[in-house]
Amino acid sequence: MEPSDVEEEEFGFSRNYFLAKELCSSGKKSARKVSDINLVDEQELREAYAKLEFKHEKEINDLVNSYKKLYTEWVYMLRCGFGLLMYGFGSKKALIEDFASTALTDYSVVVINGYLQSINLKQVTVTIAELLWDQLKTQRKLENHPKNQQSFHTQSMDDLISFLDGPHLEDGECYVCAVLNNIDGPGLRDSESQQYLARLAACSHILMVASIDNVNAPLLWNKKMVHTEFNWYWHHVPTYAPYKVEGIFFPLILAHSGSAQSVKTASIVLQSLTPNAQNVFKVVADHQLAHPDAEGMPFNNLYTLCRERFLVSSQITLNAHLTEFKDHELVKTRRNSDGEDCLFIPLTSEALQKLVLEITQ
């Protein structure tokens, strides 16, 4: 390529960049609407995805095989008291489960699928306790322990963790390995779940191997959890493998799936609005959830509440927000029996609750 061509190309890139910045800052109102998002049938989309041919299979297999040479090192790190945390692009489910089935055969293993939204952490802990109890009984360590007469299912999480980390477990070679696919899964992202998982990982006879895929996953933990309880030993193991199994349990963003998709599309539009606009929308949503049988929220009531919460300074500001909502089809207007114009959100109560949770996170 001639130097003049390179300079011309670079000039074109620069010009396009500044034109884009100019357009973004022009103050023009976004014209996006919920109805503008073209959706397809979810089954059709999944079938099309299943037919995709993934490239570079040989290179990916070679890469994964190179990780298998590290299995001995990983076992050593577990025995030294570290938790293994696998991160990197691509599904790591097959890799860590293969590690568990080939290198951890001396231990009881529990595979936990954190990508399931309905995961039951209490049941997981009960299973771990039962496996450890079976090992201890085999070694005839705890024949007369009071837990022998009581079901683990009736115990609280705190009692279960006390058992798993009790003084009666100081001796012996009894271990249970928890293999946790997606410790950052949607059903485990709350603070309480992560704290219980950290306490589990800190138990001396519990080994933990986990994977993360969300870039914000480390924000789930504080310093004590990372360095003392989980005691993570980080491994960068990009596999470039598709998230076939994990993706089954998530609604596809381009697929039509009723209220769940309506929430997703409405959330996408709300994220493009200002925080004040989102808070005004939440006022309408809260009113609708509190009065499900009402015909809507009268404009005057909305204005009064928004003024009290310092969300708007005048009716002009509120009208600007409402125009934005109506243009995006987030809010609609109808008259009640008294002839007042009322605002309502065209979503079911269940869908609206999910939307409010999404925009308040």
Side-chain angles (χ1 to χ4, degrees):
M1 183 180 290
E2 295 294 329
S4 59
D5 294 336
V6 174
E7 290 178 4
E8 185 176 347
E9 185 177 1
E10 290 179 351
F11 174 75
F13 285 147
S14 302
R15 183 173 180 274
N16 289 337
Y17 171 80
F18 286 108
L19 281 174
K21 293 291 288 183
E22 183 180 350
L23 288 173
C24 289
S25 60
S26 62
K28 291 184 178 179
K29 185 172 59 180
S30 171
R32 289 191 298 172
K33 300 178 182 179
V34 173
S35 59
D36 291 338
I37 302 176
N38 294 322
L39 306 175
V40 298
D41 179 71
E42 182 168 355
Q43 185 62 31
E44 181 182 345
L45 191 58
R46 290 194 184 277
E47 288 176 359
Y49 171 75
K51 294 176 183 177
L52 288 177
E53 294 184 6
F54 294 96
K55 300 178 180 180
H56 311 294
E57 284 192 28
K58 180 183 180 300
E59 290 80 3
I60 290 174
N61 289 333
D62 291 342
L63 181 64
V64 173
N65 287 333
S66 71
Y67 299 145
K68 294 181 179 180
K69 297 176 183 177
L70 302 174
Y71 282 2
T72 304
E73 177 189 338
W74 293 355
V75 173
Y76 176 74
M77 298 310 298
L78 284 172
R79 291 302 305 267
C80 287
F82 291 95
L84 299 181
L85 186 64
M86 310 301 184
Y87 70 100
F89 182 79
S91 173
K92 291 158 286 293
K93 177 178 169 63
L95 175 65
I96 62 176
E97 290 182 5
D98 179 74
F99 167 63
S101 63
T102 57
L104 299 176
T105 53
D106 293 338
Y107 314 114
S108 298
V109 176
V110 177
V111 177
I112 307 161
N113 294 320
Y115 50 77
L116 297 174
Q117 300 191 30
S118 58
I119 186 171
N120 188 328
L121 192 54
K122 168 73 179 294
Q123 184 56 49
V124 168
T125 310
V126 167
T127 302
I128 292 173
E130 288 176 343
L131 285 172
L132 187 58
W133 174 253
D134 288 341
Q135 289 187 49
L136 294 166
K137 281 199 303 183
T138 302
Q139 294 188 11
R140 300 183 178 181
K141 296 279 183 183
L142 299 176
E143 288 180 344
N144 299 319
H145 193 273
K147 279 281 191 290
N148 198 26
Q149 309 296 326
Q150 199 169 12
S151 170
F152 287 110
H153 291 276
T154 63
Q155 303 301 302
S156 67
M157 282 291 290
D158 290 331
D159 290 337
L160 288 168
I161 293 174
S162 296
F163 166 73
L164 292 170
D165 201 34
H168 48 270
L169 300 177
E170 290 179 358
D171 300 324
E173 289 293 313
C174 300
Y175 292 94
V176 176
C177 183
V179 176
L180 184 45
N181 292 304
N182 293 106
I183 194 172
D184 55 345
L188 297 174
R189 288 178 190 166
D190 59 288
S191 176
E192 184 181 27
S193 295
Q194 291 296 324
Q195 287 174 5
Y196 277 130
L197 287 170
R199 291 174 63 188
L200 274 175
C203 295
S204 57
H205 287 256
I206 304 298
L207 310 177
M208 183 167 287
V209 182
S211 67
I212 57 172
D213 285 294
N214 193 307
V215 69
N216 294 318
L219 298 177
L220 295 170
W221 311 310
N222 58 36
K223 188 175 180 179
K224 177 186 175 183
M225 294 165 73
V226 171
H227 297 295
T228 305
E229 295 175 318
F230 284 123
N231 197 20
W232 290 129
Y233 192 87
W234 298 68
H235 281 282
H236 185 222
V237 287
T239 64
Y240 302 99
Y243 295 94
K244 286 185 176 179
V245 177
E246 299 92 325
I248 291 174
F249 303 96
F250 287 87
L252 299 177
I253 193 170
L254 298 177
H256 177 72
S257 55
S259 62
Q261 186 58 42
S262 298
V263 171
K264 194 67 181 179
T265 53
S267 177
I268 292 170
V269 174
L270 279 169
Q271 287 170 10
S272 69
L273 304 181
T274 64
N276 260 16
Q278 293 176 17
N279 287 328
V280 172
F281 178 86
K282 190 174 179 297
V283 172
V284 181
D286 290 340
H287 179 275
Q288 186 163 317
L289 290 171
H291 306 86
D293 298 326
E295 295 174 275
M297 185 176 192
F299 175 84
N300 291 334
N301 293 3
L302 175 62
Y303 177 62
T304 301
L305 276 175
C306 290
R307 279 292 299 268
E308 290 174 354
R309 299 180 187 182
F310 301 100
L311 299 177
V312 299
S313 57
S314 65
Q315 287 192 6
I316 296 174
T317 308
L318 180 58
N319 284 332
H321 289 319
L322 293 178
T323 301
E324 191 87 14
F325 297 155
K326 291 173 185 176
D327 287 345
H328 293 306
E329 300 180 354
L330 292 170
V331 169
K332 294 187 177 181
T333 307
R334 61 187 170 196
R335 289 199 171 182
N336 62 13
S337 54
D338 296 330
E340 291 181 294
D341 287 333
C342 295
L343 305 159
F344 72 98
I345 301 168
L347 289 172
T348 63
S349 294
E350 182 182 358
L352 188 54
Q353 285 177 340
K354 292 179 181 177
L355 180 57
V356 170
L357 285 175
E358 284 202 16
I359 63 177
T360 53
Q361 286 179 350

